[in-house]
Amino acid sequence: MKNLIPPVKGARDFYPEEKAIHGWLYQKLKNVSASFGYQEYDGPFLERIDLYAAKSGEELVKEQAFVLQDRGGDLLALRPELTPSLVRMVAQRQNQLVYPLRWWSFGPFWRYERPQKGRTREFFQWNIDMIGVDSTEADAELIAVCVAFLRSVGLSSDQVVLRVNDRRLMDSELNTIGISGEQKKAAFKLIDRSDKLPQKEWETFASELGFTTQQISGIQAILNDTTLWKKSPSLVRVFDSLKALRADDFVRFDAHIIRGLDYYTGTVFEASDLDGGRAILGGGHYDNLVEDVGGDPLPGVGFAMGDVMITIVLEKYGLLPEPKSFTRAGLMTVFDENALQDALRLSAIVRDAGIEMVCYPAVAKLQKQFKYADRIGVRFVLVQGPDEKAEGKVSVKDLANATQQTVAEAELIGFLQQLLK
RNA sequence: GUGGCUGUAGCUCAAUGGCAGAGCACUUGACUGUGGAUCAAGGGGUUGUGGGUUCGACCCCCAUCAGCCACCCCA
């Protein structure tokens, strides 16, 4: 035990209970994606580093990506996100694909960050995008997909909020108070910070960024105006569409939502835990992603959700499924040395009838085998000792109600099917 | 990258300078053909690692490693 090689920092072990939950989550988002007609795809886990360098900038790649060198000397990266791969895949077959394209994916990603609550170096992410259409109805659909997912895992609008904004609206609003060009980036950063910092510190931060008192109060006025969305025709349409889609619970306009990514150009949205504030998922509309890697311009809308944060939130609200171990139905015991072959034979018969069956793999005390059956959570236990063997019978113990019956081998399957009903 | 907290049995944690412990788990038995409950016995430790202070260190000091948490960042 002492000399165990430690696991890689920020990597994750999935013990069966955790793997079961992971699989459950996968099923949920798969069903939601499919219900809107999205198709599953995946990219490679390894990409040339240039793919990310082109878009994300060298700093990010150097500091946040797991980089390795192949034998030819090329630099590769474990994918830190999926969008560049998606865009490359679309660009490669740009003229063969059918638009609007609806694709989704769930797989592992790596980022070299300092692990903490809700953040690991190895994580899974659900990515879902609609590409090739430039409408507010498409934006609304992706938001509706979010809502459908949140509902399907049992979350309510008391627990999670889905905040929606539009970058074009923020752009024009900033323009009207005299913030433009380079200052806009700083303003976005300031807006992003507005609910993290206390009022006074925020104002200090704002003047450090070079904003005038007038501009600062202008920004505050924008942020506090809950009806601001009415000035944005596209947001009005998004909210109307959401109502038509019957997906307007969870959803709320919020001018604070900007999103860190530069490539968002229109609608942006983000879901977060109301009690705790951490973001669960986020996404938005982009105009020209494909163009960036050398294809013709194609608009799209999409979002991404990490598995770690959502699992923490679901656990907090008691919404994770019971880890009712496995579905293995029964255990075949081994009475003694002479019974080994019969145990194998009987378990094969039961298994062939479609009943999940585990056979104890060695000779052991019955007490130990029964205890094992209890621990792994099977429903029934089969015993064939000398007495049963002599009459061609098997004893079946139902662990749920501690009853036991001895039945003829020929009637065993029917008996078990009845028991498992 | 910055800061805080924590490292003691498989797990959760006691022991505040004087013999390293408990609960749970495990093994065995009470029960020679039967799980969950109960009882009894047993196994299990270089107190993360290295140094220092002290008659004496799990405890105090220094270093180091690891984990957790927050900040930064978040494609």
Side-chain angles (χ1 to χ4, degrees):
Chain A
M1 231 28 197
K2 283 175 216 163
N3 298 323
L4 263 188
I5 294 171
V8 173
K9 185 201 275 284
R12 299 195 289 156
D13 295 329
F14 287 94
Y15 287 87
E17 303 76 31
E18 292 145 355
K19 186 67 183 172
I21 285 172
H22 208 243
W24 170 84
L25 183 65
Y26 174 79
Q27 272 313 319
K28 288 289 181 186
L29 53 89
K30 179 191 177 107
N31 290 342
V32 169
S33 305
S35 76
F36 281 82
Y38 287 70
Q39 295 176 288
E40 187 173 9
Y41 77 104
D42 207 346
F45 298 175
L46 280 172
E47 288 276 13
R48 310 176 71 88
I49 199 166
D50 319 78
L51 182 69
Y52 306 106
K55 190 181 70 68
S56 315
E58 234 172 272
E59 280 292 297
L60 284 172
V61 173
K62 251 183 208 160
E63 289 176 15
Q64 302 265 14
F66 277 86
V67 178
L68 55 116
Q69 200 168 30
D70 72 11
R71 295 191 181 190
D74 288 340
L75 286 177
L76 308 177
L78 285 169
R79 62 179 187 184
E81 58 165 330
L82 189 59
T83 306
S85 302
L86 165 64
V87 162
R88 180 177 56 71
M89 287 168 69
V90 171
Q92 277 170 188
R93 299 197 178 175
Q94 188 151 7
N95 298 325
Q96 304 164 46
L97 297 169
V98 180
Y99 303 97
L101 197 81
R102 288 180 163 95
W103 282 5
W104 72 276
S105 178
F106 183 70
F109 296 87
W110 295 264
R111 291 181 196 173
Y112 200 89
E113 305 196 75
R114 187 103 159 219
Q116 56 186 283
K117 194 175 181 68
R119 174 182 292 179
T120 55
R121 286 182 176 178
E122 185 177 66
F123 57 95
F124 280 69
Q125 206 173 58
W126 176 32
N127 284 265
I128 179 163
D129 290 90
M130 170 149 44
I131 291 180
V133 67
D134 194 11
S135 72
T136 54
E137 286 66 38
D139 296 0
E141 176 172 306
L142 267 291
I143 294 170
V145 170
C146 290
V147 170
F149 170 79
L150 294 172
R151 283 179 188 157
S152 83
V153 293
L155 285 164
S156 76
S157 53
D158 300 334
Q159 296 159 338
V160 171
V161 63
L162 186 41
R163 299 187 172 97
V164 181
N165 195 8
D166 192 310
R167 281 204 164 187
R168 289 165 298 188
L169 173 64
M170 298 310 283
D171 253 32
S172 66
E173 287 300 305
L174 288 175
N175 278 333
T176 61
I177 59 167
I179 295 173
S180 57
E182 270 305 298
Q183 257 197 317
K184 221 167 249 171
K185 260 193 176 175
F188 282 158
K189 188 159 197 153
L190 187 62
I191 290 169
D192 190 49
R193 222 43 97 66
S194 58
D195 39 6
K196 282 183 186 171
L197 292 175
Q199 182 73 10
K200 280 206 169 148
E201 284 180 46
W202 184 78
E203 284 172 17
T204 313
F205 182 61
S207 49
E208 276 169 7
L209 285 173
F211 292 103
T212 65
T213 323
Q214 206 177 357
Q215 287 173 324
I216 295 171
S217 53
I219 292 174
Q220 278 173 325
I222 293 171
L223 293 180
N224 292 331
D225 184 356
T226 53
T227 59
L228 195 65
W229 59 277
K230 291 180 179 169
K231 290 189 191 172
S232 159
S234 65
L235 275 180
V236 170
R237 280 180 68 171
V238 166
F239 290 129
D240 282 347
S241 300
L242 284 170
K243 200 158 280 174
L245 283 161
R246 296 196 284 185
D248 54 339
D249 49 333
F250 293 95
V251 178
R252 180 195 298 174
F253 166 74
D254 192 327
H256 293 85
I257 301 304
I258 292 294
R259 304 290 305 156
L261 277 175
D262 287 341
Y263 58 67
Y264 290 129
T265 51
T267 311
V268 285
F269 53 94
E270 189 174 295
S272 49
D273 182 3
L274 279 168
D275 164 43
R278 293 290 297 272
I280 295 169
L281 60 83
H285 182 103
Y286 42 85
D287 279 338
N288 45 19
L289 265 190
V290 180
E291 192 177 21
D292 292 345
V293 295
D296 296 326
L298 264 186
V301 52
F303 69 85
M305 179 188 79
D307 69 318
V308 181
M309 203 58 213
I310 184 68
T311 304
I312 288 173
V313 170
L314 290 172
E315 182 177 27
K316 188 170 90 178
Y317 292 118
L319 295 172
L320 291 178
E322 284 301 309
K324 51 181 177 215
S325 24
F326 307 96
T327 47
R328 290 171 298 186
L331 174 79
M332 178 74 231
T333 56
V334 176
F335 190 84
D336 58 24
E337 200 69 38
N338 299 324
L340 266 169
Q341 299 303 319
D342 279 318
L344 295 176
R345 180 177 58 83
L346 284 167
S347 50
I349 289 171
V350 174
R351 209 173 285 131
D352 286 349
I355 297 171
E356 291 166 51
M357 195 69 195
V358 33
C359 185
Y360 204 84
V363 178
K365 285 191 173 180
L366 277 184
Q367 185 185 22
K368 191 172 178 179
Q369 298 186 56
F370 268 82
K371 188 159 189 167
Y372 179 76
D374 189 49
R375 292 293 297 269
I376 65 172
V378 297
R379 175 67 197 280
F380 65 87
V381 173
L382 301 185
V383 180
Q384 189 180 59
D387 298 348
E388 290 93 345
K389 177 70 177 168
E391 300 177 35
K393 291 183 172 176
V394 183
S395 289
V396 181
K397 179 155 183 182
D398 182 347
L399 291 188
N401 46 31
T403 56
Q404 181 167 324
Q405 281 191 61
T406 302
V407 300
E409 275 192 28
E411 289 155 23
L412 178 60
I413 298 303
F415 182 83
L416 290 178
Q417 280 166 344
Q418 201 60 35
L419 183 147
L420 290 172
K421 259 185 188 163

